[in-house]
């Protein structure tokens, strides 16, 4: 799970498990979690595995604000039952995380470029169409990324491959949509590094 995806359920758990009576700052924890949810959507990106957690955050925020206004509090039993619901809601994004790719240990940054090559002498056997065979080649190299260079996706054309893999696994086509959120430590189409020594 990514940073905000961890912090949001932790805030809700602190709110639910805090001994009675709750401090005023603790009562605001769901509201802070809701603000972090909007930040998560803007920075880390939406993914369907988080929908139960989004809904629970919204419900707990509304409930906590009503209870602040009415000067009431959750019963201990309701808090514990809601913690179980929180654990179940958190399980899905934890079991299907966005892959985190480790940065290489070398001193140089990494660039990558993708080529789609066509072999006119062979027919494509997978598309079901009468066309020449195409295949993709991806190259990684020492790079000197520009300030505007963007991180390369972990899976290029995830809009095509993720649904295809999901269908192959007999899952709904959106099952692996979160793979589009994974980035590599390599920069897409970055200029090659200039150095006076040989590359490793």
């Amino acid at each position: 799970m990514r940073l905000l995806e961890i912090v949001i359920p932790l805030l809700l758990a602190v709110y639910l498990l805090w001994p009675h009576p709750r401090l005023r700052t603790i009562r605001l924890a769901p509201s802070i979690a809701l603000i972090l949810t909007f930040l998560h959507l803007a920075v880390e990106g939406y993914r369907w595995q988080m929908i139960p957690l989004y809904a629970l955050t919204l419900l707990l925020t509304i409930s906590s604000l009503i209870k602040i206004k009415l000067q009431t509090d959750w019963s201990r039993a309701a808090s514990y039952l809601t913690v179980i619901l929180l654990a179940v809601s958190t399980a899905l994004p934890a079991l299907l995380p966005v892959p985190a790719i480790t940065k290489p240990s070398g001193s140089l940054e990494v660039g990558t470029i993708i080529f789609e090559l066509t072999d006119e002498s062979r027919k494509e056997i997978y598309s079901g169409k009468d066309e020449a065979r195409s295949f993709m080649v991806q190259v990684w190299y020492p790079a000197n990324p520009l300030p505007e260079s963007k991180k390369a996706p972990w899976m290029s054309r995830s809009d095509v491959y993720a649904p295809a893999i999901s269908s192959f696994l007999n899952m709904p086509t959106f099952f692996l949509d979160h793979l589009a959120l994974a980035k590599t430590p390599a920069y897409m189409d970055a200029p090659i590094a200039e150095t006076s020594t040989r590359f490793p």
Side-chain angles (χ1 to χ4, degrees):
M1 291 176 70
R2 297 169 296 174
L3 180 61
L4 292 174
E5 294 174 353
I6 295 169
V7 172
I8 292 165
L10 282 178
L11 270 174
L12 297 179
V14 167
Y15 168 71
L16 291 168
L17 295 173
W18 192 268
H20 297 286
R22 290 187 175 91
L23 301 173
R24 187 170 183 82
T25 51
I26 297 300
R27 289 177 176 229
L28 292 174
S31 299
I32 296 168
L34 185 63
I35 292 167
L36 291 179
T37 299
F38 289 120
L39 185 62
H40 149 76
L41 291 169
V43 175
E44 294 178 336
Y46 156 86
R47 61 189 189 113
W48 69 265
Q49 295 91 341
M50 292 284 291
I51 290 174
L53 204 50
Y54 299 151
L56 187 59
T57 303
L58 181 61
L59 291 173
L60 283 175
T61 300
I62 294 168
S63 172
S64 68
L65 292 175
I66 290 171
K67 289 182 183 304
I68 288 173
K69 186 175 181 181
L70 297 177
Q71 298 295 313
T72 59
D73 212 342
W74 284 70
S75 71
R76 193 172 296 275
S79 289
Y80 292 151
L81 288 172
T82 311
V83 167
I84 294 169
L85 182 59
L86 176 63
V88 171
S89 300
T90 308
L92 198 54
L95 292 172
L96 292 170
V98 174
I101 314 303
T102 307
K103 185 172 170 48
S105 59
S107 61
L108 298 170
E109 294 287 355
V110 178
T112 185
I113 189 167
I114 296 173
F115 300 98
E116 187 172 335
L117 306 176
T118 303
D119 184 351
E120 298 289 347
S121 67
R122 291 192 294 167
K123 293 291 185 188
E124 180 61 71
I125 59 174
Y126 297 108
S127 70
K129 299 176 185 173
D130 184 22
E131 58 187 355
R133 180 73 189 268
S134 294
F135 56 97
M136 189 180 76
V137 176
Q138 187 166 5
V139 179
W140 288 267
Y141 53 90
N144 186 19
L146 301 171
E148 62 270 17
S149 295
K150 295 185 178 176
K151 294 287 181 86
W154 181 58
M155 176 186 284
S156 66
R157 296 302 313 269
S158 60
D159 59 320
V160 174
Y161 298 124
I165 295 169
S166 297
S167 296
F168 179 76
L169 297 172
N170 294 320
M171 295 292 185
T173 55
F174 62 82
F175 186 71
L176 297 175
D177 281 357
H178 64 288
L179 297 181
L181 300 171
K183 301 292 182 192
T184 67
Y187 293 89
M188 199 73 204
D189 301 327
I192 193 165
E194 295 179 9
T195 178
S196 56
T197 58
R198 288 173 61 92
F199 291 138

